[in-house]
Amino acid sequence: MTVDTPDFSVALKRTPLHADHVRLKARMVDFGGWDMPVQYSGLVDEHKTVRTAVGLFDVSHMGEVNVEGRGALEFLQRLTTNDASKLEIGQAQYSALLYPNGTLVDDIIVYRRGLDSFFLCVNASNAEKDFAWMQEHVPSQGVVLQNVSESYGQIAVQGPRARELVQKVVDIRIAELKYYHFAEGKVLGVPALIARTGYTGELGYELYVPSSATSKVWNALLEAGDAFGVKPCGLGARDTLRLEMGYLLYGNDMDNTTSALECGLSWVTKFEKCDFIGRDALLKQKEQGLGRKLVGFEMIDRAIGRHGYGVHVTPAVGSPVGVVTSGSPSPTLGRNVGMAYVPASHAALGSEIYIDVRGEAKKARVTKKPFFTEGTASK
């Protein structure tokens, strides 16, 4: 996870839970222009709480967009890589927005609320850019776009005991909610979108609630979760949890310089569905072969490969042939892991690579993702 250097001349944005974070004595940082909690009790403690019990994350900085109208599905089919026509009402889908050259505008989640009604969750730092991109391509008739980001707060409840906790505050039977499905219900009497999604690899739910009710819901979850060992968690633990699962982070592992195929999003790129923005460029890249790929790696030498470190294919540290995009110690596995772009010739499992750690070549091995395979997300 990269944390921006604060620019004190610009006021940081605040989520509806900002006062709660300050009251709980969270360590706050500038994250993409938002004043966000990076940790409360400590990164490792929060990480292990999510793996063994349940943690709460404030993700209200994420952006939300409504897409409605008779042309909504056709519009999303043209705009996104995945096949939105496969979505049933009440189902969610991971997808991506591409530029014509096949690189990433953003990765998103698409929720189908009705026959002609969709709800998109986009990355916080990209919300305005994404909405502008959608407006640029929206047809003159048949589709209504609304940036509703300021209307929602979002709380992620993640961990093996998340279901027990969430059931205490919602009015639906969440045991019946399948992975990557959602329901419209109420949380403490407040209308909410209750989604069985997450970014940690554990059983979890993301609660989209009105901004004005976010603090009420957050504190009720903390109170109701005492019996389950609940803890508030910051961006630090969120980053190590997602890294153990090999989940990508926009701005680190993918951006407008990396193609959907290079970063490994071929599994949500449905070439057969219809023409979509970026399709031709990706087909050409597929035909010509990839020059580089995003891979998982585990350090062999005693060192940590961190974001921005150069990657080499020999012990001689010269001009790098790749770069580490994410890397840290894994609190669950006790190993140092990461992801990096490497030449396609060195992307095979078991290939040895070298990370430039402060001028010294440290050996690593390309390994399979996810690094952690015991998560409860789909259980």
Side-chain angles (χ1 to χ4, degrees):
M1 180 187 70
T2 56
V3 176
D4 297 337
T5 300
D7 180 355
F8 295 107
S9 66
V10 179
L12 296 178
K13 298 177 183 178
R14 294 180 174 183
T15 76
L17 295 176
H18 185 270
D20 295 286
H21 301 318
V22 173
R23 176 176 54 81
L24 292 169
K25 295 182 169 50
R27 178 189 165 200
M28 307 296 287
V29 298
D30 178 356
F31 183 73
W34 290 81
D35 197 17
M36 296 294 293
V38 68
Q39 65 180 38
Y40 297 84
S41 58
L43 185 155
V44 173
D45 180 60
E46 293 163 27
H47 181 111
K48 291 184 176 180
T49 293
V50 173
R51 288 279 180 248
T52 60
V54 59
L56 301 186
F57 297 86
D58 177 13
V59 285
S60 302
H61 60 311
M62 302 293 277
E64 292 85 21
V65 177
N66 280 335
V67 183
E68 298 179 324
R70 295 182 62 182
L73 176 59
E74 184 179 356
F75 169 66
L76 287 175
Q77 289 290 73
R78 168 71 176 152
L79 201 69
T80 67
T81 60
N82 211 333
D83 189 351
S85 71
K86 301 295 185 183
L87 284 172
E88 300 175 356
I89 295 173
Q91 188 174 11
Q93 181 185 77
Y94 182 61
S95 193
L97 306 173
L98 303 184
Y99 292 109
N101 66 357
T103 63
L104 274 293
V105 178
D106 203 3
D107 64 327
I108 66 175
I109 296 181
V110 179
Y111 299 88
R112 190 167 197 169
R113 302 179 89 163
L115 188 63
D116 300 313
S117 177
F118 297 84
F119 180 78
L120 313 183
C121 180
V122 304
N123 281 300
S125 59
N126 293 337
E128 293 181 6
K129 177 190 74 174
D130 290 0
F131 189 68
W133 179 253
M134 294 175 200
Q135 286 183 308
E136 186 178 329
H137 294 89
V138 71
S140 58
Q141 294 182 331
V143 179
V144 177
L145 289 180
Q146 288 181 294
N147 185 346
V148 293
S149 301
E150 292 187 4
S151 299
Y152 286 94
Q154 186 185 348
I155 300 171
V157 187
Q158 303 284 302
R161 305 202 71 178
R163 182 178 290 127
E164 298 169 83
L165 173 53
V166 172
Q167 188 62 77
K168 285 185 169 292
V169 299
V170 301
D171 67 346
I172 64 169
R173 287 181 54 81
I174 60 169
E176 299 171 359
L177 201 59
K178 298 178 182 177
Y179 189 44
Y180 262 76
H181 284 69
F182 68 97
E184 310 274 0
K186 290 185 177 180
V187 180
L188 302 174
V190 176
L193 188 152
I194 303 154
R196 192 177 160 192
T197 50
Y199 196 46
T200 65
E202 298 298 339
L203 171 67
Y205 301 85
E206 292 178 313
L207 310 179
Y208 295 85
V209 299
S211 296
S212 59
T214 311
S215 180
K216 172 185 175 182
V217 173
W218 172 268
N219 286 294
L221 286 165
L222 285 177
E223 183 178 350
D226 273 347
F228 309 124
V230 70
K231 289 183 181 178
C233 302
L235 294 174
R238 184 171 162 84
D239 195 51
T240 53
L241 288 159
R242 69 93 190 168
L243 177 58
E244 288 184 344
M245 296 302 300
Y247 294 157
L248 308 187
L249 174 63
Y250 191 93
N252 279 41
D253 311 302
M254 56 183 168
D255 56 27
N256 61 358
T257 69
T258 58
S259 85
L261 300 184
E262 290 173 334
C263 69
L265 292 185
S266 58
W267 65 283
V268 292
T269 303
K270 308 302 182 184
F271 291 105
E272 68 282 0
K273 68 167 183 172
C274 66
D275 190 21
F276 58 87
I277 297 172
R279 180 177 184 270
D280 290 344
L282 293 184
L283 284 173
K284 184 176 180 180
Q285 189 176 59
K286 192 175 182 181
E287 180 181 338
Q288 294 177 343
L290 298 177
R292 62 175 182 168
K293 293 182 179 181
L294 183 68
V295 301
F297 69 83
E298 178 182 335
M299 297 301 302
I300 297 174
D301 287 341
R302 190 178 178 85
I304 302 170
R306 297 194 183 277
H307 172 78
Y309 285 7
V311 176
H312 306 265
V313 294
T314 69
V317 175
S319 297
V321 296
V323 64
V324 175
T325 59
S326 293
S328 80
S330 162
T332 308
L333 304 173
R335 306 194 299 267
N336 296 331
V337 300
M339 292 187 282
Y341 281 100
V342 302
S345 58
H346 285 73
L349 296 180
S351 297
E352 289 188 352
I353 57 175
Y354 296 85
I355 311 296
D356 183 352
V357 181
R358 296 184 292 277
E360 295 185 16
K362 299 296 184 178
K363 186 183 294 187
R365 180 184 298 111
V366 175
T367 187
K368 188 176 181 180
K369 297 179 294 181
F371 307 104
F372 174 65
T373 59
E374 303 300 318
T376 55
S378 60
K379 295 181 180 178

